[in-house]
Amino acid sequence: MSTATREDMRQAIRREGLAVQREDEAFSEDIYEASNLMPGLLQLKFSYARDGQKLARVEYVFTTFSDNAHVGELMTRIESRFGRPQRVTGREESGPYHAVWRLPDQMEVFVGREWPQKTTYLKFFNVSVLGSASADSERESLQPKMGKAQNIHALPLWVAR
């Protein structure tokens, strides 16, 4: 995947039979329906660099699960292919969770779960195309900001109590 272009990926996607939601050169991202590939998977998003149309990122978009088990199931799948992650933050059982694998071909794999809504992410970053700063920034944007309590029942400041 580290050397793939938009055309390479589109040909592979056609062979897999994924339904197109959007393939448009005006956008840097192509989107496909993928509900038949993995449990809970809704879409696959492929992002490309403007220069050269090289693959920059692949994002698996899952439904939000009511339990915490999905991230563990996804971890098992990824670990069976790539081994143990280089970095893990959080706990698999509950709360926000993130794991990162660095592959020899300048690819990074990211598995994460948000909290409290439990959305699970699987992303592949082509660091040689995207740049390590961009990959780091995108991963960090999914992590909760430390020091801020997340109370989903709290009212915004402008709402009268």
Side-chain angles (χ1 to χ4, degrees):
M1 283 188 358
S2 64
T3 60
T5 64
R6 182 173 238 165
E7 191 53 39
D8 295 336
M9 293 307 297
R10 284 180 174 175
Q11 288 176 13
I13 290 163
R14 283 185 198 99
R15 285 192 300 271
E16 288 296 317
L18 297 180
V20 175
Q21 285 187 339
R22 182 183 72 205
E23 274 186 353
D24 188 336
E25 301 294 326
F27 295 92
S28 64
E29 183 175 75
D30 290 343
I31 304 172
Y32 304 89
E33 289 179 26
S35 57
N36 58 340
L37 291 180
M38 294 172 75
L41 184 60
L42 296 175
Q43 294 178 326
L44 273 172
K45 297 180 179 183
F46 295 83
S47 299
Y48 303 92
R50 294 271 180 214
D51 294 336
Q53 296 294 297
K54 292 276 191 182
L55 180 66
R57 183 190 64 193
V58 178
E59 180 179 358
Y60 290 67
V61 180
F62 293 92
T63 59
T64 299
F65 292 87
S66 60
D67 64 17
N68 296 327
H70 185 253
V71 78
E73 294 164 10
L74 194 52
M75 286 293 295
T76 300
R77 283 178 175 251
I78 301 303
E79 284 180 343
S80 71
R81 176 108 189 241
F82 301 115
R84 298 287 304 157
Q86 275 77 21
R87 189 175 72 224
V88 174
T89 57
R91 296 178 338 149
E92 217 175 279
E93 298 79 29
S94 67
Y97 180 80
H98 303 97
V100 177
W101 290 257
R102 288 193 172 86
L103 307 181
D105 62 353
Q106 291 294 307
M107 295 292 290
E108 281 189 4
V109 181
F110 171 82
V111 172
R113 177 185 56 228
E114 290 184 345
W115 196 260
Q117 67 271 27
K118 303 177 186 175
T119 301
T120 305
Y121 294 93
L122 171 59
K123 296 185 180 190
F124 292 81
F125 297 102
N126 188 345
V127 176
S128 64
V129 172
L130 190 61
S132 61
S134 294
D136 290 345
S137 174
E138 187 163 340
R139 280 194 317 275
E140 289 167 5
S141 72
L142 296 174
Q143 297 179 12
K145 305 297 181 245
M146 298 308 288
K148 290 186 179 179
Q150 291 186 349
N151 180 351
I152 61 169
H153 303 292
L155 295 173
L157 293 175
W158 62 86
V159 176
R161 297 191 188 268

